[in-house]
Amino acid sequence: MPRHLIRARSGDLSSNHDPSFVQQGEVDWVSLSKALVSLSVGTLKRLSAAGVQEMTYVSALQLGTRFQLQDVGYKRVEEAIEKTSYAPAIGRVAYFGFGYRSFVHLLADFQCGVKFIALCATLQEAHGEDLAARVMSSLWAAVGYPEEYQPSNAQFKCLARACAGVFAETKFLEVVGIMLGSYRRFRQAGKLPETSDPAEIAAVLQGLFDISKGTRTRMEVIGGAECSFIAAIAYWLFELKIQVDDSQGNTLFTSSSESDEAQVYIVYKDAEQLKSVAITRSTYILRDPSEIFRYLPDSELRVIRTRVPWGVCLHRTFGIDFEGLIKLPISLGRFLGGIARVYKALATSEPHLPWLSPGLFVGFVEEGYGQGFIDTMQRLFPELNNPALVGSMEQAVKHTVHNADSGIEEAMLTFQSHCQCSGCRSHGQRMELHEERLCLLGLAITLVELVTALAATERVPQLMLTEKGIFNVYEDSIKYLRGHDITQPLQTLAKALRLHESPGSRAHMTPALMMARTISLFTGYESSKATLETNNYRTAVAENGISRLQMLSNQQSW
């Protein structure tokens, strides 16, 4: 881009600045729009592949000039970009992921482009493409850029989609989860950690931009779950000194010392407490969403995403109810080992399976049954590496199918007698979907589903599961228990494992459904019916920054 497109207020452009983009200056938008014809053919091809218009590309670079990143934050972004990769398929004729010189790599040619990737990728990781686009659109107005040159929301969504997945292998969403505080118990409280209005998020981001540039010294952010994202981006990306307090005044996290005042002070408060908050020029409020309901009526799309480390993902997601389950290691081992034994019988077409049909056993791999099931569980979930639990599983796998069935039934009755969910407590023999406490049987079935789904998946080691994705598996499992008579445990279990004759059984699992079940674990989003129908005859799909390739062996590559 020609340098004259930016009219600097003082001095000439330094040689270490990006061409045509400066931190202090007024953009000549008219000349800028006319000069877009100078873009190379190669650049135009990459823009077209990403669905991004030329003006949107330049606008993205310009947004990247509105803030500064320190050394550690900048290094994190560069390392994330360097790790972006692609996977070959179909005899290396087609590729999936971040290909050579993708749009992200085109942006990364400039420092301001690297900074825009940082902004866009963090928004997309925590909020998804739709909300990320809305926030960037609001941010355009917040920084004072002219409306007539503002990219459409669809174009901002293309930018979010192009940057999706850049931070998937980083710890950013894990940091968001740490900052959530008491909102981590949202499942038991029956309230999702929902985002705030995009305009309010944009205003807070503008405040962070000012601190990063030295035009503001400190700010206070008060609100609900969205505070977790602000705290994470301020600490992990901008390297600012922060302090996070809960609604009772208890400090949840701090990166500042007593002698060094926090630059960003964050306080969680509920809707009632926000009514009495004193507002100053340095105070920002993040309320529960209101206008957002008009264009995102699905509450699942308004949830802030977090990732959980493999070593503690079950405890982080299920809390005290998971602790209650692993306190029954012998029963849990009989249940999981019994299922592994039954799955082996189905895989090898053993006779005498009165409650199951071998024809329903589809979509499994060797690592998902028998001893392979146990090995996969130990490899993926260290929280289950209890000697008593593993020993009980190994004994169950060696039993006959009849003995395995008996062990499963006994374990299910033990789960019911120790369970604190209202369905099991009432002894009404009926399971309910929404509980203050989670169902132990539902959790045990969830473990089976997690192991079998992930046994057929190859992934990059740094990619963590989302907390919401794990909980989606539990909700799906408990749904099949609702309303069923648990005095017939094996028949109930067959329904929960979808090993029964009905439209929802494994026999009706299309490639799209099989991929959707596992993609949800890593993105936190469940595919819509329309998306499943569209993907039904595809063997590779990319959603929310995660690429999936269905191999002929039923093994999925990430």
Side-chain angles (χ1 to χ4, degrees), residues 242-410:
I242 72 168
Q243 180 174 323
V244 184
D245 290 354
D246 65 17
S247 58
Q248 306 302 317
N250 302 311
T251 298
L252 303 174
F253 181 89
T254 182
S255 62
S256 61
S257 61
E258 294 181 1
S259 59
D260 195 7
E261 186 179 23
Q263 296 167 285
V264 184
Y265 180 50
I266 297 170
V267 184
Y268 284 105
K269 290 188 181 296
D270 57 34
E272 191 63 30
Q273 291 174 318
L274 286 176
K275 294 179 181 178
S276 58
V277 169
I279 305 297
T280 67
R281 293 183 62 183
S282 61
T283 302
Y284 295 84
I285 303 296
L286 291 171
R287 300 176 180 83
D288 289 336
S290 54
E291 293 296 315
I292 198 174
F293 290 102
R294 293 186 294 107
Y295 49 83
L296 273 183
D298 186 355
S299 62
E300 295 294 310
L301 296 179
R302 301 194 299 267
V303 177
I304 298 171
R305 294 194 301 174
T306 62
R307 293 192 188 276
V308 282
W310 287 92
V312 294
C313 64
L314 299 174
H315 182 271
R316 286 272 186 92
T317 304
F318 301 119
I320 58 174
D321 297 298
F322 174 71
E323 293 176 4
L325 182 64
I326 60 175
K327 287 179 180 178
L328 304 170
I330 303 301
S331 295
L332 182 58
R334 288 174 179 167
F335 181 84
L336 296 177
I339 296 294
R341 176 65 182 91
V342 171
Y343 280 179
K344 180 181 179 181
L346 286 168
T348 56
S349 299
E350 293 184 28
H352 311 302
L353 298 172
W355 58 285
L356 295 173
S357 169
L360 298 176
F361 192 75
V362 297
F364 288 90
V365 293
E366 192 171 320
E367 293 82 357
Y369 59 80
Q371 184 62 42
F373 182 100
I374 301 174
D375 295 340
T376 299
M377 183 197 76
Q378 290 183 283
R379 174 172 54 86
L380 294 176
F381 302 108
E383 296 162 283
L384 298 175
N385 281 339
N386 180 309
L389 168 61
V390 175
S392 180
M393 289 181 67
E394 291 176 338
Q395 287 184 0
V397 167
K398 296 175 183 177
H399 286 162
T400 63
V401 174
H402 176 74
N403 288 339
D405 289 348
S406 298
I408 292 171
E409 287 184 299
E410 291 176 7

Side-chain angles (χ1 to χ4, degrees), residues 346-347 357-365 452 498-499 505-510 514 517 554:
L346 286 168
S357 169
L360 298 176
F361 192 75
V362 297
F364 288 90
V365 293
T452 53
R498 297 185 306 286
L499 293 171
S505 71
R506 291 187 185 274
H508 297 85
M509 290 284 283
T510 64
M514 293 174 68
R517 289 185 63 227
N554 283 332

Side-chain angles (χ1 to χ4, degrees), residues 156-184:
F156 276 122
K157 189 172 180 178
C158 286
L159 291 174
R161 185 177 297 117
C163 294
V166 172
F167 286 160
E169 296 181 54
T170 70
K171 294 183 177 294
F172 177 70
L173 284 191
E174 182 185 350
V175 176
V176 174
I178 292 172
M179 302 298 181
L180 264 178
S182 61
Y183 279 86
R184 295 200 64 84

